[in-house]
Amino acid sequence: MIHNTRRHVEGTVVLMKKSVLDFNDFTASFLDGLHEFVGKGVSLQLISAVNTGPENGLKGKLGKPASLDWITTSSHESLSTGESAFKVTFDWDDEDIGTPGAFLIRNNHHSEFYLKTMTLKHVPDHDDDIHFVCNSWIYPAKNYQKDRIFFSNKVYLPSETPMPLLKYREEELESLRGDGKKEPEKWDRAYDYALYNDLGNSDKRPEHARPILGGSIEYPYPRRGRTGRKPAKSDPNYESRLDLELSLKIYVPRDERFGHLKMSDFLAYALKSIVQVLKPELESLFDSTPNEFDSFEDVLKLYESGIDVPEGLLKDVRDNIHGEMLKEIFRTDGEKFLKFPMPQVIAVDKSAWRTDEEFAREMLAGINPVMICSLQEFPPQSKLDRRFYGDQSSKITKEHIEINLDGLTVDEAIKERKLFILDHHDSLMPYLRRINSTSTKTYASRTILFLQKDGTLKPLAIELSLPHSEGDQYGAISKVYLPAEQGVEKSIWQLAKAYVGVVDSGYHQLISHWLHTHAVVEPFIIASNRQLSVLHPIHKLLHPHFRDTMNINGLARQILINGGGALESTVFPSKYSMEFSSSLYKDWSFPEQALPEDLLKRGMAVKDSSSPYGLRLLIEDYPYAVDGLEIWFAIKTWVTDYCTIYYNDNDSIKEDSELQSWWKEIIEKGHGDKKDEPWWPKMHTLEELIEACTIIIWIASALHAAVNFGQYPYGGFPPSRPSMSRRLMPEKGTQEYNELEENPDKAFLKTITSQFQAVLGLSLVEILSRHASDEVYLGERDTPHWTCDVMALKAFEKFGSKLSEIEKRIEMMNNDEKLRNRYGPVKMAYTLLKPSSEGGLTGMGIPNSISI
């Protein structure tokens, strides 16, 4: 008796048609239907993971092509808006296919579509469904050299890949590397590296020339994704720039573009609108009527009633910005314009931000809580080279601060680890002369603080320094300011704190936020796609933490951090902003991005085997560090549980060819300007792999959340966290000093961010502080079928449960009145490291990736 092994296997394909995504493209739908009618549809072919076919060497056997039923949609339990499910029926031959490990897909239509998943049900000899997670745009076949391939959700180390899939695995990686020669097309998926040679635009405006970042000793920088545009006319070393109106079309590999329904698409349009329409319009409006805020009541109008704007401007804006977006981003009802939501920092108390306690607390629980250090020598010393910068040591004396040390001497306070410093001196001084030649007028600063018995910090002295008028080699001209409660001294102290805020705000935006999260992560994304197959367990681990980052970074280079872009208008280093960030990349070290290492380096924690996680915080109530350590070790436990499923010993790490190529490329290409640093892990041990993956996930998720999503809640009221200063401290006997005595608020507002800069800055940080409606948070995945590995799924579930526990603990601590640094005088709980959130402006939630 002969068994006939031929039968059928049903598949369900979930996709989004282009016509659903692009409402203006009516032709797409019509032409796709026409192609179906004439037999040019979408075909799929299964690839065996167990049998090779003589016709294609050692590659897996191909099943017969099956056509997707494009016209008839089928029901499917978990479809999102715009998605449709379609049936496909494969002829099945046990001897041919056995176990399918991948499939090829060919699109003979006129238009692209977004392929989400394919699921095979009731596969002979398989108890479970077989899932293929695709999440990729499929363009018409004419745009590709080979049909697109997708693998099932099973992972294999390179050496364990079934022979029939090995060649497919290698070929797919090769295709993702591109050829590095031509300018990529929108359908391309080529990942490659480039220098930051696209920020300047001297072709159009000579004053927008900027140095190339990366590839030199003078300006080291991480690499960005290659866009391959033609060279600039004025200098072929630079890449030409896209016109502003084409900003949203900047090349990133196709599957890195913002998702179809992502609010960031909408945010991208909003950012573009602000820069293209609002910035020039507002500039001319505020130039012709140079409006200053005259009082804090004036500033509050931004939130309570909005600013009146001439009808002509409103018409211009209406003509240029889509109506729904206009309502959402600018909240205009046709009369009032530019009305902003109330930032949390002034929601309960309009003036608590002015207290010394709040000023100090935000160094522990604000938007830049990664700078404060333990003070271990007095007076503070400089590491700048004396040959070039002379004497830069601090002029703060013991007499300045001992009056406020609760009876301790400075030496005793240092010994008891009660003195701390916010030091923005050495980083800024080499650039300060140039920065102050622009419209910015500011200082390098050192702020010394004392840890009080109630666990809060008290500022003791602020030193503001300028370069010597006769040359850098003569050292710094420094002045020390002390806290004061009344008279003109009180106003001067408030101004001194504002200058510290300005420098901290710019450092935060350019270094803590842009450089230390957005810029340093991009090389890891590029290397992961070029060297780690989608079948690789480490690709599966890291991939969710890369979502949307290349797209937001590309957009940033186009309209935010470019020469003349919005960021230069809203942070103090002005046109020197990006080269300032390059000078600070010289100090960046990968291992120090681990939170425990960072806290030890800054002297904010000491090793202590009797403390949780073996670390004792010097300031027990340091909300960023307390919550951060919980999150860090939850991530590390998850990464450890996951990696030990696939790697038994150190040899398996050394022998993993893809992993070794990946790490080599990160060091030699992605962070190539730092390739000779001795601190790079060798990637020879399981411990090194776990630490490296934990650091990458930490930077992309929790660190970015901590320095990004509080920008509006903390910085949305310009006086409390000004980003610009326009004049220096008034000197006795001047008109400015007299004004400071007579009308301190007006003098304060004339010194910090102008009305135009404030409105532009608020518009930007409000957008950057919002969560997208389809955000995926830490402990979540965008599909339950991301892997078929039961042990990995269990470990991930454990991670999710741990994060829920941490969230409850954060809520409990925020209700504990003894922990004063968690809410402060402004009565604003520290929630930036609470893992979950809803969409919008919430001041909480840790997305998986740097997605805005």
Side-chain angles (χ1 to χ4, degrees), residues 617-641:
L617 292 171
L618 294 189
I619 300 177
E620 272 178 56
D621 182 17
Y622 180 0
Y624 163 74
V626 171
D627 300 354
L629 285 169
E630 294 272 356
I631 301 283
W632 166 269
F633 283 102
I635 294 170
K636 188 162 189 177
T637 303
W638 148 240
V639 171
T640 305
D641 291 348

Side-chain angles (χ1 to χ4, degrees), residues 160-381:
E160 293 165 2
T161 312
M163 180 55 77
L165 296 180
L166 192 57
K167 197 89 181 103
Y168 289 113
R169 177 177 185 146
E170 289 164 0
E171 285 174 359
E172 173 68 355
L173 267 181
E174 216 170 289
S175 73
L176 289 168
R177 291 181 198 131
D179 63 6
K181 290 174 187 158
K182 64 179 181 58
E183 180 173 352
E185 302 284 357
K186 64 179 179 184
W187 52 78
D188 281 327
R189 297 153 59 239
Y191 293 81
D192 206 347
Y193 302 93
L195 305 173
Y196 278 71
N197 63 350
D198 61 341
L199 299 177
N201 194 3
S202 52
D203 279 2
K204 285 222 165 150
R205 299 179 71 170
E207 71 272 21
H208 287 170
R210 297 291 178 268
I212 292 172
L213 304 185
S216 67
I217 292 167
E218 190 180 4
Y219 298 119
Y221 222 61
R223 299 300 183 260
R224 63 172 177 94
R226 178 181 179 271
T227 38
R229 295 191 299 273
K230 59 183 185 297
K233 293 189 187 85
S234 52
D235 184 341
N237 292 314
Y238 286 79
E239 190 169 276
S240 58
R241 285 188 56 80
L242 277 182
D243 287 341
L244 203 53
E245 60 274 9
L246 297 174
S247 294
L248 302 181
K249 292 191 163 60
I250 189 163
Y251 173 76
V252 288
R254 186 60 187 94
D255 296 333
E256 299 293 338
R257 292 199 81 79
F258 291 142
H260 39 280
L261 297 174
K262 183 172 169 66
M263 193 172 138
S264 294
D265 246 349
F266 166 83
L267 289 173
Y269 281 103
L271 277 174
K272 184 182 145 190
S273 308
I274 284 174
V275 172
Q276 226 180 310
V277 183
L278 259 188
K279 185 170 178 271
E281 289 291 346
L282 285 174
E283 245 162 341
S284 60
L285 167 72
F286 287 118
D287 281 350
S288 58
T289 55
N291 287 352
E292 290 286 351
F293 295 120
D294 291 324
S295 64
F296 290 123
E297 286 67 39
D298 259 8
V299 187
L300 289 170
K301 282 181 191 162
L302 285 171
Y303 319 99
E304 289 165 350
S305 55
I307 296 181
D308 283 317
V309 176
E311 182 52 41
L313 171 61
L314 266 186
K315 183 180 182 313
D316 269 6
V317 173
R318 279 200 206 98
D319 291 348
N320 281 283
I321 304 180
H322 182 273
E324 277 308 298
M325 190 180 313
L326 189 70
K327 278 212 295 262
E328 172 63 25
I329 296 295
F330 303 117
R331 281 164 299 279
T332 170
D333 51 14
E335 296 306 314
K336 292 287 182 183
F337 181 57
L338 295 170
K339 181 169 181 265
F340 292 93
M342 185 70 74
Q344 283 164 276
V345 74
I346 53 165
V348 177
D349 184 326
K350 298 286 184 285
S351 60
W353 61 270
R354 303 185 82 159
T355 61
D356 287 358
E357 183 183 338
E358 183 59 26
F359 170 70
R361 179 189 85 95
E362 289 189 22
M363 300 176 199
L364 304 172
I367 189 58
N368 196 26
V370 294
M371 285 297 296
I372 188 170
C373 295
S374 167
L375 183 64
Q376 288 162 17
E377 60 178 356
F378 191 89
Q381 296 302 306

Side-chain angles (χ1 to χ4, degrees), residues 71-234:
I71 309 300
T72 323
T73 56
S74 67
S75 60
H76 192 266
E77 65 278 5
S78 56
L79 290 179
S80 302
T81 316
E83 292 172 358
S84 309
F86 299 94
K87 286 274 177 261
V88 59
T89 304
F90 295 99
D91 275 351
W92 189 265
D93 186 329
D94 290 350
E95 288 161 22
D96 274 353
I97 301 295
T99 301
F103 70 89
L104 295 176
I105 185 164
R106 184 178 180 84
N107 175 12
N108 294 310
H109 283 169
H110 159 79
S111 308
E112 68 271 24
F113 57 83
Y114 185 76
L115 179 63
K116 200 172 177 197
T117 58
M118 181 173 86
T119 309
L120 295 179
K121 291 191 174 298
H122 314 303
V123 178
D125 303 323
H126 288 76
D127 296 333
D128 298 318
D129 296 347
I130 297 180
H131 295 276
F132 300 80
V133 178
C134 310
N135 289 330
S136 185
W137 284 91
I138 310 297
Y139 276 75
K142 68 177 190 300
N143 298 129
Y144 300 119
Q145 287 172 337
K146 289 183 177 158
D147 292 342
R148 293 288 309 277
I149 186 169
F150 293 94
F151 297 92
S152 75
N153 62 350
K154 197 165 169 50
V155 297
Y156 303 99
L157 292 176
S159 59
E160 293 165 2
T161 312
M163 180 55 77
L165 296 180
L166 192 57
K167 197 89 181 103
Y168 289 113
R169 177 177 185 146
E170 289 164 0
E171 285 174 359
E172 173 68 355
L173 267 181
E174 216 170 289
S175 73
L176 289 168
R177 291 181 198 131
D179 63 6
K181 290 174 187 158
K182 64 179 181 58
E183 180 173 352
E185 302 284 357
K186 64 179 179 184
W187 52 78
D188 281 327
R189 297 153 59 239
Y191 293 81
D192 206 347
Y193 302 93
L195 305 173
Y196 278 71
N197 63 350
D198 61 341
L199 299 177
N201 194 3
S202 52
D203 279 2
K204 285 222 165 150
R205 299 179 71 170
E207 71 272 21
H208 287 170
R210 297 291 178 268
I212 292 172
L213 304 185
S216 67
I217 292 167
E218 190 180 4
Y219 298 119
Y221 222 61
R223 299 300 183 260
R224 63 172 177 94
R226 178 181 179 271
T227 38
R229 295 191 299 273
K230 59 183 185 297
K233 293 189 187 85
S234 52

Side-chain angles (χ1 to χ4, degrees), residues 645-713:
I645 298 169
Y646 304 102
Y647 296 99
N648 309 322
D649 53 28
N650 294 337
D651 286 345
S652 55
I653 302 279
K654 288 183 217 163
E655 288 158 12
D656 183 336
S657 56
E658 286 183 10
L659 190 74
Q660 294 304 322
S661 300
W662 170 68
W663 196 243
K664 185 175 191 287
E665 186 167 292
I666 285 164
I667 296 170
E668 292 180 4
K669 287 191 172 177
H671 283 280
D673 297 337
K674 291 195 158 275
K675 65 177 183 291
D676 299 322
E677 296 282 6
W679 42 249
W680 282 109
K682 299 279 182 282
M683 204 50 77
H684 287 168
T685 67
L686 184 54
E687 194 183 333
E688 284 177 325
L689 174 66
I690 288 166
E691 184 75 357
C693 290
T694 305
I695 290 174
I696 294 166
I697 294 171
W698 163 258
I699 294 173
S701 59
L703 180 60
H704 180 258
V707 297
N708 183 70
F709 292 102
Q711 288 189 79
Y712 193 84

